Amino acid sequence: MDPYKYRPSSAFNSPFMTTNSGAPIWNNNNSLTVGTRGPILLEDYHLVEKLANFDRERIPERVVHARGASAKGFFEVTHDITHLTCADFLRSPGVQTPVIVRFSTVIHERGSPETLRDPRGFAVKFYTREGNFDMVGNNFPVFFIRDGMKFPDMVHALKPNPKSHIQENWRILDFFSHHPESLHMFTFLFDDIGIPQDYRHMEGSGVNTYTLINKAGKVNYVKFHWKPTCGVKSLLEDEAVKIGGTNHSHATQDLYDSIAAGNYPEWKLFIQTMDPDIEDRFDFDPVDVTKTWPEDIIPLQPVGRLVLNKNIDNFFAENEQLAFCPSLVVPGVHYSDDKLLQTRIFSYSDTQRHRLGPNYLQLPANAPKTAHHNNHHEGFMNFMHRDEEVNYFPSRYDLTRHAETYPIPPVVLTGKRDKVCIAKENNFKQPGDRYRSFTPERQERFVKRWVDALSDPRLTHEIRSIWVSYWNQADKSLGQKLASRLNVRPMM
């Protein structure tokens, strides 16, 4: 018998119950006792193992993006962009790459309703021939903050009150009153699209600015955008209350049922690219995650299509243990100086090591589908079979070599060490432009949501006035409407 052939898998299930070590279980109903009614014996190993495993079934839920659903499928290149990148999975039209995608809410807990007003995560893991590429984004193209230094405080403010465990507007609006950069994100969150109808009918965005590098070493900034072929649909408040009161997993069920019925969700991938040599021409910083790039100046370019045609086999293995990290890139794709991205490079991998263990990339959902080799070994829950005698590099007994070189951004970095904000904040222009693009009815719903939020009895007059001032700087009419209905005057 080959001891490595039958690795733990439901495909090799025994016809009878066994312990974890494979010993047959002849009674899975009754504990081993002294006599019929006597005390239970500690030597009942099966009972101890069964309870010990049950006690440890739950792993720490994600701090953010705890509530989610996953599906599998493929990404197919439809347009040639080899002039922009040497990434192998984008090498030519028609190339397909297997993927797994996870959608999620951001702030709320693992069992929370999927109808709450909240950003939605949109994370895609590409199993490429050069390793895994994780495109970890949201359904909005911008974010609340531009520097990861603020991320823990932001999440604390958005999460429930640590005393009452209730999410409260006064805490959220107090924190963000110190950060006018958040206005642009709030034009998305408090808009109608703040509650997607389901995961199939929402857009996705890479959010952060990355870079693409071609074979010649030419670098371009890039932003990624997913557009659903079935269109964008959202829920208004009364619809969300009705659906959420009936089924708190409506979006997960919709995704699962649609794929099971052969109605495969599909998105088109578009990119925007910018030559770093022209970044100073704009009145904003192109790597500022609170800004979008104007599509009339930097148009969307089609790249490919994403099709989800297979449901996951096991929710725990392929959703709860599924781990995404923006640090996972492939040759031809690299990071930028986006401050939020720079912190995510560390933070996501760090949280997965805490949540799943140091060998989380050996779990089937996270492991690359291509050959891989390094000298990282041992540690908690390492289940890779290895028979090498040499676990160091280099060695004359092991012919493992360096891979062929590939281009990375060649920019020379200069500057003094400092903790400063970016030069071009420009916090109010894009939020005002977006608000003015709404229809009058949509504007009225936006105003009402803000009046409701700012009417929290624990909010101080000062905080209300600050918010009215911010929105007044974004759009005079919006500021006047809020000031009138809240009976406050702007602070500035």
Side-chain angles (χ1 to χ4, degrees):
M1 185 182 77
D2 180 355
Y4 299 106
K5 181 177 180 181
Y6 297 105
R7 298 192 178 195
S9 169
S10 60
F12 305 124
N13 275 350
S14 164
F16 48 80
M17 301 293 289
T18 74
T19 65
N20 283 346
S21 63
I25 296 171
W26 63 272
N27 188 327
N28 195 36
N29 296 318
N30 304 109
S31 302
L32 183 65
T33 59
V34 178
T36 304
R37 298 183 59 213
I40 292 173
L41 296 175
L42 188 60
E43 71 179 65
D44 190 345
Y45 172 76
H46 169 53
L47 171 66
V48 173
E49 178 182 84
K50 186 175 184 179
L51 293 177
N53 275 267
F54 176 74
D55 293 342
R56 293 162 176 80
E57 278 183 4
R58 296 294 175 264
I59 62 176
E61 73 170 39
R62 293 164 170 89
V63 177
V64 288
H65 299 277
R67 172 61 138 133
S70 304
K72 295 183 281 192
F74 65 88
F75 173 77
E76 180 180 15
V77 180
T78 56
H79 292 74
D80 186 355
I81 61 166
T82 52
H83 61 293
L84 294 170
T85 178
C86 60
D88 177 75
F89 80 103
L90 299 172
R91 64 189 177 274
S92 65
V95 171
Q96 291 189 357
T97 301
V99 300
I100 187 168
V101 179
R102 187 175 189 270
F103 306 103
S104 57
T105 59
V106 175
I107 290 300
H108 305 287
E109 297 158 320
R110 188 154 52 191
S112 58
E114 295 178 304
T115 48
L116 299 175
R117 185 170 298 277
D118 198 25
R120 299 300 192 269
F122 194 125
V124 184
K125 187 181 293 290
F126 299 80
Y127 299 107
T128 87
R129 300 194 307 182
E130 296 180 311
N132 293 351
F133 170 40
D134 285 1
M135 190 187 295
V136 190
N138 289 334
N139 64 323
F140 302 148
V142 294
F143 200 62
F144 294 103
I145 53 173
R146 61 171 66 95
D147 192 319
M149 178 69 83
K150 304 174 185 177
F151 192 82
D153 298 290
M154 180 200 75
V155 173
H156 287 170
L158 289 165
K159 286 283 190 180
N161 184 323
K163 182 175 181 178
S164 65
H165 200 68
I166 299 171
Q167 188 184 38
E168 295 169 329
N169 278 331
W170 69 268
R171 289 165 39 82
I172 298 169
L173 297 178
D174 172 34
F175 174 77
F176 286 113
S177 71
H178 298 274
H179 302 294
E181 68 208 65
S182 65
L183 260 66
H184 200 188
M185 181 67 166
F186 277 115
T187 64
F188 289 87
L189 184 60
F190 276 44
D191 183 21
D192 291 349
I193 62 173
I195 309 177
Q197 176 176 294
D198 49 58
Y199 296 132
R200 291 184 300 126
H201 291 90
M202 71 180 194
E203 295 182 339
S205 172
V207 183
N208 293 110
T209 301
Y210 282 81
T211 55
L212 296 179
I213 309 101
N214 65 16
K215 290 182 179 179
K218 173 60 181 172
V219 175
N220 280 281
Y221 291 143
V222 64
K223 282 187 175 287
F224 299 102
H225 303 274
W226 298 105
K227 305 288 184 182
T229 57
C230 59
V232 174
K233 295 182 180 179
S234 306
L235 298 176
L236 296 181
E237 282 79 356
D238 57 340
E239 297 172 309
V241 169
K242 181 178 179 180
I243 292 173
T246 304
N247 180 2
H248 81 303
S249 300
H250 82 285
T252 296
Q253 183 169 354
D254 173 82
L255 179 67
Y256 191 94
D257 290 349
S258 295
I259 294 173
N263 181 22
Y264 301 140
E266 181 175 336
W267 287 261
K268 304 292 186 184
L269 176 63
F270 295 86
I271 58 173
Q272 289 177 289
T273 60
M274 180 191 300
D275 190 327
D277 292 340
I278 69 166
E279 63 177 297
D280 290 335
R281 299 181 186 178
F282 298 91
D283 61 1
F284 62 91
D285 190 328
V287 300
D288 178 359
V289 77
T290 69
K291 302 294 187 290
T292 55
W293 295 355
E295 294 181 14
D296 56 338
I297 301 175
I298 308 171
L300 296 175
Q301 306 174 52
V303 177
R305 67 188 187 113
L306 169 69
V307 179
L308 299 181
N309 60 2
K310 187 177 188 305
N311 279 311
I312 56 176
D313 299 312
N314 179 272
F315 187 83
F316 180 77
E318 297 179 298
N319 185 79
E320 291 305 294
Q321 291 194 132
L322 183 59
F324 291 91
C325 305
S327 49
L328 301 187
V329 294
V330 292
V333 182
H334 203 74
Y335 320 118
S336 76
D337 291 336
D338 177 339
K339 287 189 176 185
L340 189 68
L341 175 59
Q342 290 287 318
T343 50
R344 293 176 81 206
I345 290 169
F346 163 75
S347 180
Y348 276 61
S349 298
D350 186 54
T351 196
Q352 305 299 5
R353 293 184 187 104
H354 162 70
R355 197 172 64 87
L356 300 171
N359 290 301
Y360 73 95
L361 287 175
Q362 290 183 22
L363 294 168
N366 304 322
K369 305 307 179 191
T370 185
H372 60 288
H373 179 83
N374 56 51
N375 294 320
H376 310 329
H377 66 114
E378 300 179 359
F380 291 108
M381 301 305 293
N382 187 310
F383 57 88
M384 179 183 291
H385 172 62
R386 310 186 73 147
D387 59 6
E388 302 97 336
E389 292 184 284
V390 175
N391 60 350
Y392 49 86
F393 181 90
S395 169
R396 291 184 174 86
Y397 295 93
D398 185 341
L399 299 181
T400 303
R401 63 187 189 281
H402 286 119
E404 294 182 10
T405 60
Y406 54 85
I408 60 174
V411 63
V412 177
L413 302 176
T414 60
K416 66 176 182 178
R417 292 184 178 93
D418 211 346
K419 283 180 175 261
V420 294
C421 188
I422 62 173
K424 298 179 182 178
E425 289 194 67
N426 203 352
N427 293 320
F428 304 106
K429 181 179 183 300
Q430 290 195 2
D433 290 343
R434 179 168 166 77
Y435 172 77
R436 287 185 288 274
S437 73
F438 296 165
T439 63
E441 295 80 8
R442 194 168 173 179
Q443 287 183 350
E444 176 58 28
R445 290 192 292 270
F446 183 82
V447 170
K448 184 180 184 304
R449 291 177 190 124
W450 269 100
V451 170
D452 290 345
L454 291 168
S455 297
D456 188 304
R458 288 198 63 176
L459 277 178
T460 65
H461 182 79
E462 178 189 16
I463 293 175
R464 288 195 187 95
S465 299
I466 289 172
W467 277 106
V468 172
S469 299
Y470 286 164
W471 288 118
N472 190 63
Q473 291 177 76
D475 182 87
K476 292 287 186 184
S477 66
L478 172 56
Q480 290 169 0
K481 289 177 182 177
L482 291 173
S484 173
R485 299 187 195 186
L486 292 166
N487 194 29
V488 299
R489 297 181 64 181
M491 294 284 288
M492 55 189 78

